[in-house]
Amino acid sequence: GETSKVRKTREFYIRDLECFEQLSKILWPRYDESDEIKLADRLIFSADGVEPISNRAILYHFQRILEIAEIKNTHKRDLVPYSFRHYFITQRGNAGLDLMTIAEMCGTSPTQIQNTYYHTSKEKMRTNALADYDIVDGKIARH
């Protein structure tokens, strides 16, 4: 919590716990159910689950991952680890979740989601404009 912008620990829920459990086995090979610190309380970006690794180390490894993934124009795109959060929140909005739901998922306010993360697209504009219409025999028809 002490490193977040709002000084609160962020909790999150994931759909595929098996993937996260596999990640934890890679990150903490000595993890044992008898450990005092349970999986849910461990830090993600840590060598031991207790002490955070430095931002410099995170950025170093992040750049290596981008290279291995052959992601182009990373410097022009200004990709940083935080970009994943931005992408996730934007995708949830594009998937049709309302701002309050996204805000609750991500530990922020609907206003912050709207001002920072919400991006419209031509597809969303088209869908919204044609919300009460159907395509019948290749023509646009009202419900």
Side-chain angles (χ1 to χ4, degrees):
E2 63 223 23
T3 60
S4 76
K5 286 190 284 187
V6 293
R7 302 283 186 244
K8 289 173 34 182
T9 300
R10 295 187 193 264
E11 284 187 18
F12 62 93
Y13 295 87
I14 56 174
R15 196 179 336 181
D16 192 350
L17 184 59
E18 290 176 12
C19 288
F20 192 73
E21 286 172 341
Q22 290 297 320
L23 175 63
S24 71
K25 288 177 185 175
I26 294 167
L27 294 175
W28 310 297
R30 296 186 189 111
Y31 175 73
D32 183 328
E33 286 298 323
S34 65
D35 285 353
E36 289 181 24
I37 300 173
K38 297 298 179 198
L39 178 62
D41 296 325
R42 289 177 174 258
L43 296 174
I44 295 172
F45 299 107
S46 170
D48 61 5
V50 179
E51 293 295 320
I53 61 173
S54 71
N55 286 340
R56 183 176 177 193
I58 290 172
L59 289 173
Y60 172 82
H61 292 292
F62 182 74
Q63 290 303 318
R64 300 297 75 74
I65 290 168
L66 293 177
E67 289 171 12
I68 291 167
E70 298 179 2
I71 296 174
K72 307 293 183 211
N73 302 319
T74 58
H75 296 295
K76 289 181 184 177
R77 296 166 67 186
D78 195 27
L79 295 176
V80 295
Y82 197 79
S83 301
F84 289 121
R85 176 180 169 83
H86 193 96
Y87 177 79
F88 174 80
I89 292 172
T90 300
Q91 289 306 104
R92 296 297 79 210
N94 289 343
L97 269 68
D98 64 272
L99 296 179
M100 181 57 95
T101 301
I102 299 169
E104 288 172 348
M105 287 172 54
C106 299
T108 190
S109 70
T111 302
Q112 185 69 19
I113 298 292
Q114 183 177 7
N115 292 342
T116 306
Y117 301 100
Y118 186 81
H119 306 293
T120 195
S121 66
K122 288 184 180 182
E123 182 60 33
K124 274 197 288 189
M125 292 168 62
R126 184 175 22 258
T127 299
N128 292 338
L130 300 174
D132 59 345
Y133 290 88
D134 291 322
I135 297 179
V136 179
D137 297 325
K139 297 179 183 177
I140 296 175
R142 192 157 202 181
H143 287 301

